[in-house]
Amino acid sequence: MTPSKWLISAGVLLAAGATVETSVQSQGLIGPAPLCEVTPAEFATWKVGGTFVPPDSASFDPSSDCKFYKWSSQMFLWLTTKDARGNLQMFSPKFDNAVEDVSTGAFQLVDSTGLDAQNKTNVSFRVRVNKPQVLLLKSASSPKDLANPGDTDSTGQAGGGVLIVNGKPIPVPGKTGIATYPVVYYAIQENDVFTALKENWRQVPYYNVGPNKTNFPITLDQAKQIQTAAGKPLPNLSQLAVEVKSAWVDIAYLTTAQAGSLIRIKSDVPAFSQSLNSKGQLQLSWDGETMVTRTLALVGMHVVGTVNHHPEMVWATFESTFNSPDATYSYLNRNYDPATKACKSGTTCLNTVSFSAASSQPSIFYNGPKGAPTAPDVIVETASSGDDSSIIAAGKTLVPTSVARLNPWGSQQPATPTLSDPAVLNNTLLVSLMSSLQPKLAASGGMGRTLANYFLVGALWSNRIIPPQPGSQQIGSLFVANTTMETFQQVRPGNPDPEATASNCFSCHGQFNDKDTNKPRSGTSVSHVFPNTVVFR
C-alpha cells in the first residue's frame, strides 16, 4: 500500500485537504516514530517565496540515512515545480532531453526549449519497456571510448515486459488504423552539469587525473571545472550532476479524482498500428515517427544525482499515491523510544499494514482480487517488446498488468518483524518523513497540494565506492524498485522467476568491469545515457 493509502481515509485525497495524522487516527493507527520528520523550520528552507528550491548537493551533509532521504525529497519537489515560464523544472531549458534512437540504442541530448504556443511540453516520450531480466550493458569501456557511443552490448533500457494500463485504444483522428494505447510513457532528462561534462570531458582536469577520475563531479570545485570547460554559466552548478527518468500515463485511463490530483502536461506520444504476427499474437507497431498530442499525468520518477563526495550517485524513486498496493509491512509508531530503542512501558510500538487492506483500495496499476491476503510472488507480464521498443507483442488481446509493490519502502520485509530489524527501521524513516511532509505540502497551497500526492518509495547509495567494486557497501533501501519502471524486476523471497535478479538500481547501474580488460569501466557508466550519447545542438 502506498503511504497515502493507509494515511488517507477511503475516498479522501490529500489534495482535498485531508491530513496524514487525522487519517491515521481515523483508522486506529498510531503515527510513526519521528525518526525522520521534516520540521516546519526545515520545510521553510525548502519552499522560499512560494517556490521550491533545490538542495545544495555540493555541501550535502551525509551523516545519516535520513539526510539522504530528505535530499531526495527536496530534489523531487524542485524538479516537479514550475519555473517562471510555466515549465516543470525538469523540462526547463536547464535540462536536456535524452532521446534514444530506436535502431541503435544510442542517445542524443536535445535542448529543451520549454512550452510551445499551445502550452505543449517539448519532450520526446517513448514507450520504454522495463529493464531486461538479464542485463547486458552497452556502456563504453573507458573514457577513450566515450566518443563512440552505443558500440557494445545493450543499454538495459529495452527488452522485457511492457506495463499496460486498464483501458481501450484511442483512435487518432484522420489516421485510419492508428491509435494510442493504454501503455506507460517514459522520458529521460539530464541537467546542464551532466551535459557539459559529456560535451567537454577531455578538458575537465579532475575527470582525467586524480582520485575522482572518470566519475561524475562530487564537489563544487569539480563542477566549476566543468563550467570552465563549457565556457558558459551552468545554473545547476551546486546541484552537481542530475539525471531524471519519469513515467507518465494518458489521463484518459485515470479516474477524474486521480487525473485532477496529479502533475499533468500536454505532450506528443507515439501512436501505433495494430496487426497479428506470425504466431497469431496481437502486435502494436510504431513507425518511429507518428506522434499525437495527449494529456499525461506523472505516475513515477527516478531522481538520481551526485552529492558531496558520493560518486556512485544517490538513486531515489517516487510514485503517485494512486499507483499500486504495497505488500504487508510494519513500522515503528510513536510508542517507540529512540533513546532506549524499546517500546514505552505498557505499550506496543509496531504497526502492521496488511496487503489485504491495501489491495482493497482502487489503484491505477493493480488489477488483482480486492482484499487478497498476500501480494503475488511475481508480477506477470501481459505484453513484451523487442530491443528497439517499437513493436509491442501481446496475446490475443491487450491485457492490463496487475501490479503490486513487492518490497515496500525498498526493503524485503521480515516474516516476523522486530523493533531492531533493519527493514522495519528503514520503513519507519520513510513513513516518518512522508507523514510529516505530506500535510505541509497540502497546506502550502499551489503546487504543494498536488505534490502531496507523491511519495518517496526509497533511495539507495553506497559508502562512496561504486558497486560492485571491491569494498563497496550499499546503504538505504536495498531492494528499491518503482512499480512503473522496474515493474517486473522486483525481487522478493520465494519469487519463482529465476531471472528476476535485479535487486536494486546498482544491479544495472554499477561500475562493472569491462568484459575484455576486466578493469572497471568509467564511473560515469553508472548512467546508461552518459557513455552512449551524442550531444545534439
Side-chain angles (χ1 to χ4, degrees):
M1 181 185 300
T2 61
S4 287
K5 286 178 181 173
W6 65 259
L7 297 171
I8 300 172
S9 302
V12 181
L13 307 180
L14 278 175
T19 66
V20 171
E21 289 299 326
T22 299
S23 299
V24 168
Q25 293 166 4
S26 70
Q27 298 184 41
L29 297 175
I30 303 172
L35 302 187
C36 191
E37 285 191 327
V38 178
T39 66
E42 191 169 25
F43 185 74
T45 68
W46 293 12
K47 191 173 186 181
V48 179
T51 301
F52 287 102
V53 298
D56 188 332
S57 302
S59 62
F60 171 72
D61 173 11
S63 61
S64 71
D65 291 3
C66 177
K67 291 184 183 295
F68 282 88
Y69 293 146
K70 287 182 176 179
W71 174 90
S72 303
S73 295
Q74 186 181 357
M75 184 65 80
F76 171 80
L77 295 176
W78 173 63
L79 290 166
T80 52
T81 51
K82 295 180 180 180
D83 66 10
R85 296 183 179 180
N87 303 294
L88 296 179
Q89 287 288 351
M90 63 179 173
F91 295 149
S92 73
K94 298 176 183 178
F95 286 77
D96 290 298
N97 188 195
V99 181
E100 187 174 11
D101 187 303
V102 297
S103 60
T104 67
F107 292 90
Q108 290 183 336
L109 293 181
V110 181
D111 283 332
S112 177
T113 56
L115 297 172
D116 65 13
Q118 286 73 45
N119 206 37
K120 186 171 64 176
T121 301
N122 179 34
V123 172
S124 177
F125 283 94
R126 295 287 186 267
V127 179
R128 186 184 74 79
V129 297
N130 294 277
K131 290 179 172 60
Q133 295 174 341
V134 179
L135 180 74
L136 296 174
L137 289 172
K138 185 194 266 184
S139 297
S141 58
S142 66
K144 67 182 177 60
D145 296 324
L146 292 175
N148 301 300
D151 56 356
T152 59
D153 306 328
S154 164
T155 63
Q157 300 302 318
V162 179
L163 181 53
I164 306 296
V165 189
N166 196 0
K168 297 180 180 179
I170 301 171
V172 176
K175 293 184 179 289
T176 303
I178 304 295
T180 55
Y181 284 80
V183 295
V184 178
Y185 303 103
Y186 302 90
I188 302 175
Q189 267 61 47
E190 318 292 350
N191 78 334
D192 50 5
V193 175
F194 182 109
T195 300
L197 177 62
K198 175 60 192 177
E199 288 182 304
N200 304 285
W201 61 269
R202 294 176 181 84
Q203 286 75 48
V204 177
Y206 91 83
Y207 192 81
N208 293 276
V209 179
N212 201 41
K213 179 181 178 181
T214 78
N215 291 338
F216 286 112
I218 57 174
T219 66
L220 184 59
D221 177 69
Q222 291 175 1
K224 288 179 177 178
Q225 291 182 32
I226 297 171
Q227 180 173 255
T228 298
K232 61 181 180 181
L234 302 178
N236 290 162
L237 203 65
S238 295
Q239 283 65 62
L240 304 180
V242 177
E243 179 170 345
V244 181
K245 297 181 184 179
S246 54
W248 303 76
V249 170
D250 191 326
I251 65 168
Y253 302 111
L254 303 180
T255 66
T256 300
Q258 291 167 350
S261 301
L262 298 177
I263 296 169
R264 290 174 296 175
I265 61 171
K266 286 173 58 179
S267 190
D268 290 340
V269 297
F272 293 79
S273 60
Q274 178 177 316
S275 62
L276 295 178
N277 64 18
S278 59
K279 298 180 181 179
Q281 296 173 313
L282 174 67
Q283 181 172 289
L284 307 179
S285 301
W286 179 48
D287 60 11
E289 296 181 359
T290 304
M291 308 287 281
V292 62
T293 303
R294 300 295 301 172
T295 299
L296 309 178
L298 177 68
V299 290
M301 186 166 152
H302 288 331
V303 176
V304 182
T306 48
V307 297
N308 182 22
H309 286 95
H310 278 269
E312 78 282 6
M313 311 185 91
V314 179
W315 299 78
T317 196
F318 294 79
E319 296 192 38
S320 98
T321 58
F322 304 103
N323 280 10
S324 310
D326 272 321
T328 298
Y329 69 90
S330 298
Y331 64 93
L332 302 173
N333 63 36
R334 291 186 181 275
N335 290 329
Y336 177 77
D337 185 342
T340 63
K341 298 183 179 179
C343 296
K344 296 174 183 177
S345 179
T347 69
T348 179
C349 54
L350 269 177
N351 280 0
T352 297
V353 183
S354 69
F355 178 72
S356 59
S359 60
S360 295
Q361 303 294 326
S363 61
I364 297 171
F365 299 112
Y366 180 70
N367 294 287
K370 293 182 179 179
T374 59
D377 283 327
V378 65
I379 307 304
V380 178
E381 296 178 7
T382 59
S384 61
S385 174
D387 287 342
D388 64 3
S389 72
S390 63
I391 296 177
I392 298 172
K396 293 183 179 180
T397 59
L398 201 61
V399 176
T401 317
S402 184
V403 183
R405 195 169 298 102
L406 303 185
N407 297 304
W409 309 106
S411 294
Q412 288 193 338
Q413 304 300 316
T416 305
T418 64
L419 305 188
S420 59
D421 190 282
V424 173
L425 291 169
N426 192 63
N427 296 346
T428 308
L429 285 171
L430 290 160
V431 175
S432 171
L433 186 151
M434 296 316 302
S435 67
S436 63
L437 177 58
Q438 286 179 319
K440 292 179 178 64
L441 289 169
S444 69
M447 277 291 290
R449 294 169 65 84
T450 299
L451 292 169
N453 291 309
Y454 295 89
F455 73 102
L456 173 62
V457 177
L460 183 72
W461 60 97
S462 79
N463 59 342
R464 303 182 179 182
I465 300 173
I466 304 177
Q469 292 303 307
S472 64
Q473 178 185 356
Q474 298 180 28
I475 308 169
S477 302
L478 301 181
F479 289 86
V480 66
N482 189 299
T483 62
T484 70
M485 288 185 262
E486 288 83 38
T487 312
F488 309 103
Q489 293 302 296
Q490 302 177 73
V491 179
R492 72 180 304 210
N495 188 338
D497 184 351
E499 293 187 330
T501 56
S503 298
N504 58 40
C505 310
F506 288 132
S507 300
C508 299
H509 292 278
Q511 190 178 15
F512 301 102
N513 287 353
D514 180 78
K515 64 182 181 180
D516 296 322
T517 66
N518 201 36
K519 294 181 179 180
R521 291 185 168 107
S522 60
T524 47
S525 70
V526 296
S527 164
H528 294 152
V529 173
F530 190 91
N532 300 301
T533 298
V534 175
V535 180
F536 181 77
R537 291 286 182 259

